[in-house]
Amino acid sequence: MSNTTTEASISDLIAEIARLREQVEAAQSLAQRAEDRGQVENLFNRYMFLHNAFEDEQIIPMWVKEGTEGIRARYTNAGQYTTWQSVTDYHRGRPHPEGKLILHTTNTPVIEVAADGKTAKGVWLMAGTESGLTDPKVAEAFPDMYSPDEVLGKKVWAHWVWCKYAIDFLKQDGEWKFWKFRCYELARAPFEENWVSFGLKNQGAFDLDLMYFGDDGKPVFMPPADEPVPSKNHPYSPQTTQKLEPVPPVAHEHFVDTFA
């Protein structure tokens, strides 16, 4: 009787140890995914701090290694970039114009790390301001973008701006990196005008390859794209309805390209 009891107790103990091991492994996996999620969010937050300060060249090491398959960036309808060089060129040579201020603040993140721990997906909303001074002659090309008054003998552009971001991340050598990056401009409006009326006359802007306004407010255009966009996105218009794009990521086992 005692031998039978002892054998049963040992069997129960072995089963309990197995259950505890499973629980520990599950807890470790959950903790790692939480750590990964935090690192992904910090990566994009660092990106935005650097971008707001015109320190974009510091963003280049935050991208995947040169030669990584599947790298992609897309900012407008003018095309998308699919090589490491063309993607990182977006961050090179940006000036620090006197009087220019951009303040992009991101919020409402939805981030999902794949169960295999190799990739992650995230979407964000962004609300911000963009502003600067432009030579009056340069401003003649885009009259609707500027305020009526001048400051220091220059035209003022001061805009509210709203965007959406959809980003895929890849873990390389234990660190999370940008892999596929997409920005959707949702709406913008000069300080003196509402976004409804401005949205009606700004529909063509997203088809242009304007990258930013540089020294003296001169427009700087995107480098030639590697390929056309597979589908177009247009900012808010009072003549269209809103749609869920990008679709926030959900829990998943392995990478699926949902932001193309």
Side-chain angles (χ1 to χ4, degrees), residues 20-124:
L20 289 173
R21 282 176 174 168
E22 290 178 356
Q23 291 174 2
V24 169
E25 289 174 0
Q28 288 175 331
S29 176
L30 184 62
Q32 183 60 56
R33 289 174 69 183
E35 171 67 17
D36 287 336
R37 187 198 182 284
Q39 290 182 11
V40 163
E41 186 164 17
N42 278 349
L43 182 69
F44 188 48
N45 289 344
R46 288 192 181 96
Y47 170 102
M48 203 55 70
F49 271 97
L50 292 169
H51 186 61
N52 285 340
F54 312 111
E55 295 291 343
D56 280 64
E57 299 222 7
Q58 294 188 50
I59 294 172
I60 295 173
M62 299 163 71
W63 277 91
V64 291
K65 296 177 183 178
E66 186 172 3
T68 300
E69 185 177 352
I71 188 173
R72 184 176 70 222
R74 176 177 170 186
Y75 304 95
T76 71
N77 289 332
Q80 61 184 9
Y81 302 89
T82 57
T83 71
W84 184 87
Q85 187 64 47
S86 63
V87 166
T88 56
D89 278 347
Y90 180 79
H91 304 294
R92 289 188 173 86
R94 287 182 176 248
H96 291 65
E98 189 174 280
K100 185 176 181 180
L101 170 69
I102 63 171
L103 184 61
H104 294 171
T105 57
T106 52
N107 57 76
T108 326
V110 179
I111 302 167
E112 291 285 352
V113 179
D116 64 11
K118 297 178 181 179
T119 61
K121 307 179 76 68
V123 298
W124 284 261

Side-chain angles (χ1 to χ4, degrees), residues 133-137 139-140 146-157 192:
L133 301 173
T134 300
D135 182 279
K137 287 292 184 183
E140 291 176 358
Y146 295 93
S147 300
D149 299 325
E150 294 186 359
V151 172
L152 300 175
K154 295 184 178 182
K155 297 294 291 184
V156 174
W157 60 281
E192 292 84 5

Side-chain angles (χ1 to χ4, degrees), residues 9 14 26 43 48 69 82 85 105 118 138 146 164 171 183-184 190 211-212 216 225 227 253:
S9 299
I14 292 173
L43 182 69
M48 203 55 70
E69 185 177 352
T82 57
Q85 187 64 47
T105 57
K118 297 178 181 179
V138 175
Y146 295 93
K164 298 180 286 186
K171 201 171 194 180
C183 175
Y184 307 70
M211 185 159 57
Y212 58 84
D216 219 8
E227 61 185 41
E253 290 291 322

Side-chain angles (χ1 to χ4, degrees), residues 177-197:
K177 302 288 185 177
F178 294 113
W179 184 27
K180 303 177 189 292
F181 192 105
R182 185 169 177 187
C183 175
Y184 307 70
E185 182 163 312
L186 177 59
R188 74 166 51 235
F191 181 79
E192 292 84 5
E193 185 175 359
N194 67 77
W195 53 86
V196 179
S197 60

